[in-house]
Amino acid sequence: MGEPQKTQRVLDGGGPGEARMTATRGAEPMAANTDTESPSASDRLMEEVCERGNLQRALKRVKANKGAPGVDGMTVQALPAFLREHWPSIRASLLEGTYKPKPVRRVELPKPDGGGVRKLGIPSALDRFVQQAVLQVLQRQWDPTFSDASYGFRPGRSAHQAVERAQGYVQAGHRWVVDLNLEKFFDRVSYDILMSRVAKRVSDKRMLKLIRSFLTAGVLENGLVGATDEGTPQGGALSPLLSNLMLDDLDRELERRGLRFVRYADDCNVYVHSERAGHRVMAGLKAFLTGRLKLTVNESKSALARPHTRKFLGFTFSNRLAAKRRVAPKALARFKERIRELTQRARGISIEQLVERLKRYLTGWRGYFGFCETPSTLQRLDEWVRHRVRCVFWKQWKNSSKRFRELTARGVDRDLPAQTVGSPHAAWRLSNSPALKRALTIRYLGSLGLPSLRI
């Protein structure tokens, strides 16, 4: 029997001495629960978590997400074999309410804007699997009850949709934005407040205990395990859902006040007609967040301003009657910084390897920021990237004789290569010269695999 079949049989409950589970409900596709009055009134949620179909989907997702090992060093690749051996006892601990997660492994990553570090907590592979299984059960019940203006970490919703909705408000004449950013939201969430929100939706005491145990499992940092008494560790599958649950109170308050807003995780923009209204909204929301949710607004990142002066999910909007989506200046600066890094590391690698690295980054960047409505910006970036690549060619050719041979071999008339090779100018300026543009054409660079940012 192959590995997938063996793992499936164990997840079915087919281990030694254990009756096979029936899982007709768990094997069905996830369907939205439209009962908003009591979205999770069942006290048998843990049985749903342990259903075969739900577990299969969870294992598939965890394997697809890959990720680094947690504190126990077990890789995602080793997880199926571990489950085949230990799943009956793990399942029993879940159903009995005695499952104990391991501490998360702390990893610090620099934030893209240079504003400090983002602390990630990497759970063990087994805990990721259990969290994913729990997420799938809770999300299909909770998600339909969340606000229509909430877009972060929700099935079928995206950052592009959030940006487009914000653009619609600006286009409709709401030319002031209350840009709210919460101070270290994921690190500061109150467990008591969060669990009170969970308890309103969950009556299964085993589930409540399991969720709290994930929150309080502790953190391994610098070789020591420390306790945690607030925050939802970024890196766990449940954290995004719990953050949406916590901030659902904010969404409902904004809706109660009749405000036009868009929220993506802890990034919330409220669009108003006037500066006076903006000041009133900002003051009211600060009081609500600190008083009701015990959260603090990040004063340095929050502001009342014109939309074209602020960024939202990497985009901003033009200050014209037709508010077009534009790539935010900081996103453009990070793009150029990354391209410089890739091209500066080109020594010792072939042009083909360099282009492959650039291709991966450019394709991903285009997939997100190609949503902008300013093709001239993408065209200028295209030209700048080609300029960088031509500069790499010029440097790798190293000396005058090779540079002359390479240019003439590519069909450039002999006089122009001679002038270029004999020029006193530096490589950056020469890489934009007529000789290199003729030798390394757009079509040629494209044939190497260098993609264009214009879709």
Side-chain angles (χ1 to χ4, degrees):
M1 185 181 293
E3 178 180 302
Q5 288 81 5
K6 288 182 181 178
T7 305
Q8 176 179 330
R9 183 167 178 261
V10 173
L11 296 182
D12 285 344
E18 186 168 354
R20 182 181 179 88
M21 291 174 55
T22 58
T24 55
R25 181 169 46 176
E28 294 172 356
M30 286 190 291
N33 185 341
T34 58
D35 181 5
T36 58
E37 291 297 318
S38 181
S40 183
S42 170
D43 61 357
R44 294 180 56 80
L45 284 176
M46 202 61 75
E47 280 75 13
E48 290 189 45
V49 168
C50 293
E51 284 178 347
R52 176 178 62 86
N54 187 58
L55 296 171
Q56 286 177 325
R57 289 193 297 273
L59 183 58
K60 183 178 180 180
R61 176 58 63 89
V62 170
K63 289 169 66 177
N65 289 344
K66 300 178 182 178
V71 295
D72 59 359
M74 182 167 62
T75 64
V76 170
Q77 291 76 18
L79 180 60
F82 181 85
L83 290 173
R84 284 198 300 273
E85 182 177 354
H86 298 285
W87 175 245
S89 61
I90 296 168
R91 176 176 177 271
S93 67
L94 289 169
L95 294 176
E96 294 167 5
T98 59
Y99 183 88
K100 291 185 178 180
K102 291 181 171 61
V104 298
R105 183 166 64 86
R106 173 72 79 209
V107 174
E108 294 185 352
L109 299 178
K111 291 185 177 180
D113 59 3
V117 296
R118 176 175 286 111
K119 293 184 177 181
L120 298 182
I122 302 178
S124 69
L126 176 60
D127 288 340
R128 294 211 291 273
F129 168 66
V130 174
Q131 281 199 42
Q132 182 64 35
V134 171
L135 170 69
Q136 291 167 180
V137 170
L138 296 183
Q139 188 169 58
R140 70 182 175 219
Q141 298 183 4
W142 294 2
D143 190 79
T145 72
F146 291 153
S147 170
D148 187 55
S150 167
Y151 288 87
F153 312 119
R154 297 184 61 190
R157 288 173 169 253
S158 68
H160 285 172
Q161 292 173 340
V163 171
E164 195 167 29
R165 183 163 184 159
Q167 180 185 16
Y169 289 144
V170 177
Q171 187 70 45
H174 299 82
R175 298 288 172 138
W176 288 89
V177 59
V178 178
D179 186 353
L180 283 173
N181 188 281
L182 299 177
E183 181 80 35
K184 297 183 178 179
F185 169 72
F186 287 94
D187 299 331
R188 299 280 175 83
V189 170
S190 164
Y191 288 164
D192 290 337
I193 294 177
L194 175 57
M195 288 307 301
S196 72
R197 273 39 176 191
V198 176
K200 290 179 180 178
R201 294 168 177 257
V202 171
S203 56
D204 188 329
K205 290 182 171 53
R206 298 165 300 177
M207 180 67 75
L208 292 172
K209 183 179 178 181
L210 179 63
I211 292 174
R212 181 174 279 278
S213 70
F214 277 123
L215 293 173
T216 59
V219 175
L220 177 66
E221 194 169 13
N222 299 322
L224 299 174
V225 176
T228 51
D229 54 13
E230 65 178 6
T232 60
Q234 295 186 71
L238 271 176
S239 294
L241 179 65
L242 294 176
S243 69
N244 274 332
L245 177 63
M246 185 74 171
L247 291 176
D248 190 53
D249 280 23
L250 172 61
D251 297 341
R252 298 308 172 192
E253 179 65 14
L254 291 166
E255 290 175 346
R256 188 186 68 78
R257 298 185 185 192
L259 295 170
R260 293 162 178 81
F261 71 99
V262 185
R263 183 176 66 79
Y264 194 97
D266 59 338
D267 198 351
C268 183
N269 279 6
V270 185
Y271 295 88
V272 295
H273 279 295
S274 68
E275 185 177 11
R276 177 181 294 182
H279 284 300
R280 186 171 61 250
V281 168
M282 178 69 85
L285 292 181
K286 284 182 180 179
F288 175 82
L289 288 165
T290 55
R292 178 78 68 84
L293 300 181
K294 308 303 181 187
L295 295 172
T296 304
V297 173
N298 187 326
E299 298 288 350
S300 64
K301 293 185 178 181
S302 301
L304 169 65
R306 296 289 191 177
H308 72 274
T309 67
R310 306 295 295 178
K311 66 179 179 69
F312 181 54
L313 302 177
F315 292 90
T316 187
F317 307 108
S318 59
N319 186 28
R320 296 179 182 177
L321 189 61
K324 292 186 176 181
R325 298 185 296 271
R326 305 180 65 175
V327 182
K330 284 188 177 181
L332 291 174
R334 287 197 297 271
F335 171 85
K336 288 194 170 184
E337 181 181 359
R338 181 58 179 151
I339 295 298
R340 287 190 186 99
E341 289 177 0
L342 291 172
T343 51
Q344 283 172 356
R345 297 174 186 170
R347 291 184 179 180
I349 66 171
S350 67
I351 288 293
E352 290 75 18
Q353 289 173 310
L354 170 64
V355 170
E356 183 58 33
R357 294 178 184 180
L358 288 171
K359 180 180 179 180
R360 287 196 297 269
Y361 178 72
L362 292 172
T363 302
W365 194 92
R366 181 181 65 186
Y368 185 75
F369 287 104
F371 189 60
C372 75
E373 296 175 311
T374 50
S376 59
T377 298
L378 301 181
Q379 180 178 348
R380 287 194 296 272
L381 291 178
D382 261 345
E383 293 170 354
W384 184 81
V385 170
R386 290 194 294 268
H387 192 169
R388 296 288 306 183
V389 173
R390 291 185 182 114
C391 190
V392 172
F393 269 94
W394 187 251
K395 289 179 178 179
Q396 288 197 351
W397 290 341
K398 293 183 179 179
N399 55 55
S400 298
S401 59
K402 183 169 184 180
R403 287 169 176 171
F404 183 83
R405 288 197 306 272
E406 292 287 351
L407 290 175
T408 54
R410 285 170 166 78
V412 184
D413 294 339
R414 295 176 65 87
D415 290 344
L416 196 53
Q419 295 173 11
T420 306
V421 169
S423 172
H425 295 303
W428 177 246
R429 181 167 176 177
L430 290 175
S431 62
N432 204 36
S433 66
L436 267 79
K437 285 185 175 181
R438 292 180 191 178
L440 306 173
T441 63
I442 297 174
R443 177 176 293 182
Y444 174 71
L445 295 178
S447 71
L448 296 177
L450 186 70
S452 170
L453 294 175
R454 288 178 291 175
I455 299 175

